[in-house]
């Protein structure tokens, strides 16, 4: 199936050009499908970058948002917000945490986690508390989270970066252990249980549990950034659950509101007592509208057992991808955990995204050569098969195009 679109640059002159936008405009969505201005339908294998885990225009989320919008949208956190308190309780129970701070995005949730770690360190008498972060990590684009991110290209031009970070290779316990002998001011380790922007990098079994042991041994906090990997995407509620590694701090966002902006920084134990009145805040964080959306999302994920569905369907899609692409001369690796999937090629392939668009498929490429698939948790088996078939066609078109060049 081939799609055509208007290639004219219609981006408004009033928008800062922070995105190299694709030449398509979507006007409506339903489930795993999006429709453009000309009526072309596209199968969404990206979910708005892991945001629309329940697909587009989910009727129960839409009903919850509509009802709340007709009742009360915002009061500010100067007052009690019952729907926020209920959501906080449910998230803590699902995640094994005790308290939650609500923000508006993943970057804000991670910012809160890093501020919590620093304040925790200062209260222990550490003048310059440091946080261990990983190479190729991505934690956000605020100045602090950008500094924690392991991507020099994203950081370029924004120096001086925020100090207080020590970097280690991902999936290398020995490297983290060695830091304990050279730094006496470490207060926390921050890690993605699966690196998303870094190329769907899945650590070895025992890596997260090993980090937990190191943190316990040295009195560090373990912070798990589950912005992309949480909310049942990997087949468990949290990706850290695969390794039985219970963190001290967990951050969520993206799929939490299914497109309505909301983030959460959760903590347990000593970490849950660090932030107090005046130490942090958010004007919009945890407003009734966002909490209504998130509450409906939790109802659906838990009630429909979508974590189990993600695990089963993710394994099925890996099998189908390996059967179709495992012997392809340009494919070097196919991997995944739940519905967090990757097809890695042997060379940079940014042009694949437009070629996939022409096949009516939405994907993206990260880490230069990794095709990232993050389909909605609600896709059918037939839609999963279509994603594989369209991706195979896209890679075929890419291979032919590169052979000609």
């Amino acid at each position: 199936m081939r799609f055509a679109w208007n290639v004219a640059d219609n981006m408004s002159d009033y928008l800062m050009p922070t995105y190299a936008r694709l030449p398509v405009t979507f006007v409506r969505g339903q489930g795993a499908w999006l429709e453009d201005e000309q009526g072309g339908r596209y199968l969404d294998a990206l979910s708005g970058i892991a945001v629309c885990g329940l697909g587009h225009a989910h009727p129960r989320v839409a009903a919850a948002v509509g009802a709340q919008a007709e009742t009360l949208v915002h009061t500010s956190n100067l007052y009690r917000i019952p729907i926020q308190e209920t959501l906080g309780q449910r998230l803590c129970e699902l995640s094994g945490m005790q308290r939650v701070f609500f923000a508006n995005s993943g970057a804000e949730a991670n910012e809160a986690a890093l501020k919590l770690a620093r304040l925790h360190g200062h209260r222990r008498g550490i003048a310059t508390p440091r946080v261990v972060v990983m190479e190729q990590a991505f934690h956000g684009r605020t100045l602090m989270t950008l500094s924690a991110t392991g991507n020099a290209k994203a950081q370029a031009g924004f120096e001086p970066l925020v100090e207080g970070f020590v970097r280690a290779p991902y999936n290398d316990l020995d490297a983290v252990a060695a830091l304990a002998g050279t730094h006496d001011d470490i207060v926390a380790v921050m890690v993605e249980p699966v690196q998303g922007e870094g190329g769907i990098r899945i650590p070895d079994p025992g890596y997260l549990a090993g980090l937990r042991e190191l943190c316990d041994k040295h009195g560090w906090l373990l912070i798990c950034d589950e912005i992309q990997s949480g909310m049942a995407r990997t087949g468990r509620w949290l990706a850290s659950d695969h390794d039985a590694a219970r963190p001290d701090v967990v951050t969520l966002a993206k799929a939490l509101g299914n497109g309505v902006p909301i983030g959460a920084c959760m903590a347990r134990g000593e970490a849950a007592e660090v932030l107090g009145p005046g130490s942090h805040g958010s004007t919009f964080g945890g407003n009734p509208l966002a909490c209504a959306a998130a509450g409906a999302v939790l109802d659906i994920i838990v009630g429909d057992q979508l974590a189990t569905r993600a695990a089963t369907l993710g394994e099925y899609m890996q099998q189908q991808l390996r059967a179709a692409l495992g012997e392809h001369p340009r494919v070097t690796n196919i991997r995944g955990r739940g519905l967090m999937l990757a097809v890695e090629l042997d060379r940079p392939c940014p042009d694949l995204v437009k070629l996939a668009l022409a096949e009516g498929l939405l994907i993206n490429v990260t880490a230069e050569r990794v095709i990232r698939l993050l389909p909605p948790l609600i896709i059918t088996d037939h839609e999963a098969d279509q994603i594989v078939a369209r991706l195979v066609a896209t890679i075929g078109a890419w291979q032919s195009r590169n052979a000609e060049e």
Side-chain angles (χ1 to χ4, degrees):
M1 182 182 299
R2 305 294 293 180
F3 285 76
W5 51 79
N6 183 0
V7 297
D9 183 4
N10 294 319
M11 182 180 290
S12 170
D13 291 339
Y14 295 99
L15 298 180
M16 292 185 184
T18 54
Y19 288 88
R21 300 176 196 268
L22 291 164
V24 62
T25 300
F26 297 117
V27 295
R28 63 182 57 85
Q30 187 66 50
W33 297 86
L34 285 167
E35 184 177 322
D36 68 15
E37 292 174 305
Q38 288 76 43
R41 298 180 76 237
Y42 300 76
L43 185 51
D44 188 356
L46 191 60
S47 300
I49 316 182
V51 168
C52 297
L54 304 181
H56 303 282
H58 195 289
R60 290 166 64 186
V61 177
V65 171
Q68 189 63 50
E70 291 180 342
T71 305
L72 184 65
V73 171
H74 176 81
T75 61
S76 94
N77 285 295
L78 296 176
Y79 315 101
R80 290 186 63 179
I81 304 174
I83 193 172
Q84 181 188 106
E85 295 171 5
T86 299
L87 178 64
Q89 178 184 0
R90 296 182 67 189
L91 281 175
C92 286
E93 290 172 350
L94 284 167
S95 307
M97 298 289 113
Q98 291 175 299
R99 289 187 173 172
V100 58
F101 170 82
F102 284 109
N104 307 287
S105 67
E108 288 186 25
N110 282 339
E111 187 90 7
L114 291 168
K115 287 181 68 176
L116 184 157
R118 284 193 170 193
L119 186 56
H120 171 69
H122 281 296
R123 289 179 178 174
R124 293 174 57 194
I126 299 174
T128 56
R130 298 183 186 276
V131 177
V132 178
V133 291
M134 307 304 162
E135 295 174 0
Q136 295 180 261
F138 186 87
H139 296 297
R141 293 186 183 273
T142 65
L143 198 54
M144 175 102 84
T145 57
L146 182 66
S147 301
T149 290
N151 185 326
K153 183 178 179 181
Q155 294 169 337
F158 298 104
E159 301 86 353
L161 298 174
V162 177
E163 297 180 351
F165 296 102
V166 183
R167 212 165 297 280
Y170 188 68
N171 198 29
D172 188 337
L173 282 174
D174 290 339
V176 178
L179 292 174
T182 57
H183 295 79
D184 59 4
D185 51 6
I186 292 173
V187 297
V189 174
M190 187 173 197
V191 64
E192 297 162 276
V194 177
Q195 285 193 335
E197 299 295 328
I200 312 297
R201 301 179 68 203
I202 302 168
D204 295 333
Y207 172 67
L208 296 172
L211 289 179
R212 176 71 274 171
E213 291 179 7
L214 286 171
C215 288
D216 289 342
K217 178 179 179 180
H218 298 290
W220 304 338
L221 299 178
L222 178 60
I223 304 171
C224 282
D225 176 349
E226 298 261 11
I227 304 301
Q228 190 167 146
S229 61
M231 301 291 297
R233 174 147 297 276
T234 67
R236 301 282 183 91
W237 175 250
L238 298 176
S240 53
D241 292 340
H242 289 279
D243 217 8
R246 193 179 179 200
D248 301 291
V249 181
V250 175
T251 55
L252 292 174
K254 284 191 179 290
L256 181 54
N258 207 57
V260 177
I262 183 171
C265 174
M266 298 177 287
R268 69 178 180 92
E270 188 178 357
E273 307 302 323
V274 173
L275 297 180
S279 62
H280 198 47
S282 171
T283 297
F284 296 106
N287 66 74
L289 187 72
C291 289
V297 169
L298 298 192
D299 287 342
I300 297 161
I301 289 178
V302 174
D304 294 354
Q305 299 183 320
L306 292 183
T308 301
R309 172 64 175 165
T312 302
L313 192 56
E315 182 59 35
Y316 171 76
M317 290 187 70
Q318 282 194 65
Q319 293 172 359
Q320 297 302 104
L321 287 166
R322 291 193 180 103
L325 296 168
E327 302 301 321
H328 194 286
R330 294 285 178 249
V331 175
T332 62
N333 190 259
I334 296 168
R335 57 183 177 269
R337 178 157 285 172
L339 287 175
M340 201 170 181
L341 302 162
V343 177
E344 185 168 358
L345 302 182
D346 65 353
R347 63 197 62 195
C349 54
D351 49 336
L352 260 168
V353 176
K354 273 194 176 182
L355 293 173
L357 199 63
E359 296 289 341
L361 179 67
L362 304 183
I363 61 170
N364 85 329
V365 170
T366 190
E368 293 189 333
R369 61 187 65 195
V370 179
I371 302 165
R372 177 169 51 168
L373 301 175
L374 301 164
L377 308 186
I378 49 82
I379 60 170
T380 65
D381 291 356
H382 179 61
E383 288 167 340
D385 289 336
Q386 288 188 71
I387 290 172
V388 173
R390 294 186 188 201
L391 182 60
V392 170
T394 298
I395 292 175
W398 171 80
Q399 184 181 19
S400 298
R401 176 174 174 175
N402 280 270
E404 294 171 0
E405 294 176 354

